[in-house]
Amino acid sequence: MLALDVTADGAPDAVLGAAREALGSLDILVNNAGNVRAGRLEDCAVEDVRAMVDLNLTAPILLTRAALPALRVAAQERTSVIVNVASGIALVGLPFYATYAATKTGIAAFGHALRRELHGSGLHVATVYPGATATAMMDTSTAGEDLGFGRRAVYEVVTDIVDALGRDEHEINTSLPTRRAMQELHARDPLAVDAALAPRLQELELAVRHHRSI
Ligand SMILES: NC(=O)c1ccc[n+]([C@@H]2O[C@H](COP(=O)([O-])OP(=O)(O)OC[C@H]3O[C@@H](n4cnc5c(N)ncnc54)[C@H](OP(=O)(O)O)[C@@H]3O)[C@@H](O)[C@H]2O)c1
């Protein structure tokens, strides 16, 4: 096991070196590490904005870049996969999460573009869109089911993801039905989502004002 800050200089090479030493070859990369800081954008410290971009977007891009040569070699023998953990927020941007939403939409778009770039290589890119999940990340949020943040248990979400990967799915959404409906509405009529959220904006702001994992 290697414990390190994946945003640190040299981290991608260190991770790849340790993986090669321990495993010999590499046929899966899971970009899972992430952080969040909620609140009005003007109240978010510059360091928190940078921390989200560094960990949720720059680090997985650089890790993927470093891992691609080894993954391409493995893909010649068996299906290999890059799994990017985005968020349901990539499918509907939610208020008080502007920077987090930007990073998660960014990593989702990165995965789509890369998947097309890798067409025919045997190397797949899957994007996971978890809805709210009961992990330490959510400990500081009091937003619950009534505000669309009903939480699923980790084992359920992980089971869904592993099953979907087993079926070769590339877009894996583990959101609960209420949030999924909002994502679909956003795709059809984004301003209808604004209208639906508006009456409870203050309530949502209060519930997420201390939500942070940085
Ligand atoms: N929980 C949710 O509701 C939810 C919803 C949508 C998407 N997601 C996404 O799912 C992924 C996992 O989140 P989670 O809920 O498990 O969050 P979490 O409980 O806060 O865990 C975060 C994980 O990231 C690691 N990490 C944080 N900073 C790191 C760094 N600089 N370098 C290396 N590792 C670092 C942590 O390692 P240590 O434990 O060693 O610090 C921990 O394993 C994230 O990308 C998150 O954005 C979560």
Side-chain angles (χ1 to χ4, degrees):
M1 192 181 88
L2 174 71
L4 93 177
D5 175 359
V6 290
T7 68
D9 283 346
D13 289 340
V15 170
L16 261 293
R20 243 186 253 117
E21 200 174 311
L23 307 169
S25 65
L26 189 70
D27 53 18
I28 183 165
L29 169 68
V30 182
N31 285 312
N32 177 62
N35 59 17
V36 67
R37 195 291 199 207
R40 290 186 183 205
L41 180 59
E42 63 267 40
D43 295 336
C44 280
V46 170
E47 305 83 68
D48 289 342
V49 170
R50 288 197 200 285
M52 280 184 273
V53 175
D54 287 351
L55 183 62
N56 299 349
L57 192 55
T58 309
I61 292 172
L62 294 182
L63 277 164
T64 304
R65 178 183 175 278
L68 269 173
L71 288 165
R72 278 186 190 274
V73 170
Q76 287 168 6
E77 289 176 18
R78 58 195 173 280
T79 301
S80 300
V81 64
I82 296 164
V83 182
N84 292 320
V85 180
S87 165
I89 211 166
L91 301 172
V92 56
L94 294 172
F96 314 115
Y97 286 91
T99 305
Y100 182 71
T103 64
K104 292 302 185 176
T105 307
I107 198 63
F110 167 73
H112 300 153
L114 189 65
R115 186 174 69 235
R116 290 159 192 157
E117 183 174 320
L118 294 170
H119 184 79
S121 68
L123 184 47
H124 293 192
V125 183
T127 305
V128 181
Y129 304 88
T133 307
T135 67
M137 176 177 270
M138 295 302 286
D139 284 352
T140 48
S141 168
T142 61
E145 201 161 355
D146 59 321
L147 285 167
F149 284 84
R151 294 176 202 181
R152 296 187 66 199
V154 173
Y155 76 88
E156 277 180 23
V157 172
V158 171
T159 302
D160 279 4
I161 295 169
V162 171
D163 287 352
L165 288 171
R167 292 189 299 271
D168 231 5
E169 290 181 17
H170 293 79
E171 296 283 289
I172 304 168
N173 187 347
T174 71
S175 302
L176 287 169
T178 324
R179 180 48 51 76
R180 215 178 264 250
M182 188 175 273
Q183 293 163 354
E184 285 161 11
L185 182 60
H186 172 72
R188 284 196 313 277
D189 185 358
L191 292 186
V193 174
D194 302 26
L197 288 170
R200 304 195 66 186
L201 218 47
Q202 271 187 323
E203 221 179 317
L204 180 60
E205 183 174 6
L206 270 179
V208 304
R209 71 192 187 287
H210 298 306
H211 186 198
R212 65 178 300 147
S213 69
I214 298 172

